[in-house]
Amino acid sequence: MLKGSTIAAGAAVAAPSVFVKGAWAQEFRNNPGNAASVKLGFNVPQTGAYADEGADELRAFQLAVKHLNGEGDGGMINTFKPSSLKGNGILGKKVEYVTGDTQTKSDAARASAKRMIEKDGVIMFSGGSSSGVAVAVQSLAQEMGVVFMAGLTHSNDTTGKDKKRYGFRHFFNAYMSGAALGPVLEKEMGKERRAYHLTADYTWGWTQEESIKNTTEALGWETVAAVKTPLGAGDFSQYITPVLNSGADVLILNHYGKDMINSLTQAVQFGLRDKQVNGKNFEIIVPLYSRLMAQGAGANVKGILGTTNWHWSLKDEGSQAFVKSFGQEYGFPPSQAAHTCYCQTLLYANACETAGTFYPPEVIKSLEGFNFDGLGNGPTLYRAEDHQCFKKVLVVRGNAAPTSQFDLLEVVQEVPTEQVTYDWKIFGGELGPYKV
């Protein structure tokens, strides 16, 4: 924001402020020009292992568009600050959208995003639910000069070695899960444990396994084995059987979506939670949780620890406004995937309003280093150096006595931002140029 303000001040010397608005309106891909509307692209998994998350993301995107256009109760537009949003679209243009199906596959997601950019003329695209997808389409965003506001993506690589100037992530990452979870694991399970990892075999699983291993080994835990499993495996029995004879007393499931539902359910069916190993009760950990997964896994999640980016039970003004809007629209509370996608849409729209233009390099500068509040999780920073948001992370546990079909996760701790913040240089990577 500061950089954008500086440029605006310089331009004001040569022209009245009324002409300065949109002073960067040079030609760029999908410039809406004088059109009455502007189009956004929502690229989500409508099929595949993460389809449940994709469906909820799409609901949130549609709600965000409704609120940006001044329809409905406004949701978190009423609590977001500082904000330049007016409820009359973006820069006075009505917001429209197109949707695509990533199929939870990187190549399909990239093809879908490319079609949105070239055929539909989107000015920004968003979505996710797989870090492999996020990394692939973020690279495309940089190549084609169209901003990508990532949805659910938890791999360290998204804002680490694979970060891009045209990509932004509101969601937390695997490193932050480890930093939040470590002290709770030590308190509840002690310093002498033997852990067995089952890990989804792609960028997200790899970096989550690495981050959680680093955390648990720093506590004194031994890593017995770390076994990779294919995304969308369906049947995990061949991977769970060896755990029984491994001497491990903790199983860490680096799985998400339907994969987590299936692997956790089978682990419980194989009796792991009833076992005692090394004189200790056998424990299961799900480092990245979601309420949608908890619904799918049912009673199997009871007592199991993990982390989430956000939860509908939070009592802050922004979270409650979003839960109310979403509940009125769809009849149930939103997931963390829905929350992050809704926030990303508002953050992009606000950056355009602040910059006074859709010209990507100035929109990007409006987001870099932006401090905001009122979107849940408390005060939040969009760090300029890697485009990663920093805010509170939630440690949660499967609720032992749920009061409804949605009351499945109990928030154990809201971990302060300081505990999950790290030096961006540890993951390397380069953002790349503003102008492409």
Side-chain angles (χ1 to χ4, degrees), residues 248-293:
D249 49 47
V250 177
L251 173 61
I252 299 176
L253 293 175
N254 300 305
H255 290 154
Y256 196 76
K258 288 185 171 64
D259 282 353
M260 177 275 194
I261 293 170
N262 292 333
S263 63
L264 175 59
T265 300
Q266 289 183 315
V268 173
Q269 287 171 346
F270 276 53
L272 283 176
R273 297 198 71 188
D274 303 322
K275 283 173 67 74
Q276 274 226 331
V277 180
N278 308 322
K280 305 177 181 73
N281 290 331
F282 194 97
E283 302 285 355
I284 299 175
I285 300 168
V286 177
L288 178 58
Y289 244 136
S290 85
R291 194 258 299 162
L292 295 175
M293 294 191 321

Side-chain angles (χ1 to χ4, degrees), residues 55-66 97 322-334 338 342 406:
D56 223 37
E57 290 187 349
L58 205 48
R59 295 184 190 103
F61 282 132
Q62 290 164 338
L63 188 62
V65 167
K66 191 171 181 178
Y97 65 89
F322 181 52
V323 171
K324 181 183 173 190
S325 290
F326 194 96
Q328 287 175 343
E329 193 79 10
Y330 302 113
F332 48 84
Y342 179 93
F406 308 113

Side-chain angles (χ1 to χ4, degrees), residues 301-320:
V301 302
K302 290 184 178 180
I304 292 180
L305 286 167
T307 63
T308 66
N309 188 61
W310 177 86
H311 193 255
W312 64 271
S313 65
L314 291 178
K315 299 301 181 191
D316 65 278
E317 188 184 23
S319 296
Q320 288 301 295

Side-chain angles (χ1 to χ4, degrees), residues 17-299:
S17 59
V18 67
F19 297 119
V20 171
K21 191 92 168 173
W24 310 282
Q26 48 193 286
E27 193 47 46
F28 55 95
R29 186 183 291 274
N30 298 337
N31 182 355
N34 295 322
S37 64
V38 66
K39 197 173 291 180
L40 308 182
F42 301 140
N43 203 22
V44 304
Q46 299 181 41
T47 54
Y50 299 165
D52 291 347
E53 314 286 330
D56 223 37
E57 290 187 349
L58 205 48
R59 295 184 190 103
F61 282 132
Q62 290 164 338
L63 188 62
V65 167
K66 191 171 181 178
H67 291 166
L68 286 172
N69 285 332
E71 301 161 11
D73 65 5
M76 283 199 282
I77 286 182
N78 300 315
T79 60
F80 178 28
K81 57 187 176 184
S83 168
S84 302
L85 298 175
K86 305 174 183 67
N88 64 344
I90 306 176
L91 292 173
K93 298 182 187 298
K94 184 177 180 182
V95 182
E96 299 176 344
Y97 65 89
V98 294
T99 65
D101 181 8
T102 68
Q103 303 174 36
T104 324
K105 296 175 183 172
S106 298
D107 53 350
R110 192 175 162 98
S112 177
K114 197 163 189 284
R115 191 164 54 245
M116 288 178 171
I117 294 168
E118 292 182 336
K119 183 181 173 190
D120 300 315
V122 301
I123 194 75
M124 175 278 274
F125 68 105
S126 183
S129 288
S130 160
S131 292
V133 163
V135 168
V137 301
Q138 183 171 257
S139 175
L140 179 73
Q142 184 75 29
E143 291 168 24
M144 302 191 77
V146 175
V147 172
F148 170 58
M149 301 294 284
L152 193 156
T153 165
H154 187 249
S155 170
N156 294 331
D157 292 347
T158 307
T159 47
K161 73 176 182 60
D162 294 319
K163 61 179 170 283
K164 295 287 183 251
R165 182 73 64 187
Y166 278 70
F168 288 85
R169 172 162 63 181
H170 171 268
F171 207 70
F172 71 147
N173 63 31
Y175 180 97
M176 296 154 90
S177 283
L181 204 49
V184 179
L185 295 181
E186 180 177 7
K187 182 182 175 186
E188 301 212 1
M189 300 180 194
K191 294 186 175 184
E192 295 182 5
R193 282 281 181 172
R194 305 189 75 214
Y196 194 112
H197 289 254
L198 289 180
T199 301
D201 193 11
Y202 72 104
T203 175
W204 167 66
W206 303 333
T207 68
Q208 176 165 294
E209 178 190 291
E210 178 184 34
S211 291
I212 303 301
K213 271 177 66 180
N214 289 343
T215 295
T216 54
E217 289 177 0
L219 299 179
W221 294 19
E222 178 187 348
T223 303
V224 174
V227 177
K228 305 296 185 289
T229 62
L231 178 61
D235 181 2
F236 289 88
S237 55
Q238 65 174 305
Y239 300 104
I240 292 170
T241 304
V243 180
L244 295 164
N245 302 313
S246 68
D249 49 47
V250 177
L251 173 61
I252 299 176
L253 293 175
N254 300 305
H255 290 154
Y256 196 76
K258 288 185 171 64
D259 282 353
M260 177 275 194
I261 293 170
N262 292 333
S263 63
L264 175 59
T265 300
Q266 289 183 315
V268 173
Q269 287 171 346
F270 276 53
L272 283 176
R273 297 198 71 188
D274 303 322
K275 283 173 67 74
Q276 274 226 331
V277 180
N278 308 322
K280 305 177 181 73
N281 290 331
F282 194 97
E283 302 285 355
I284 299 175
I285 300 168
V286 177
L288 178 58
Y289 244 136
S290 85
R291 194 258 299 162
L292 295 175
M293 294 191 321
Q295 272 182 257

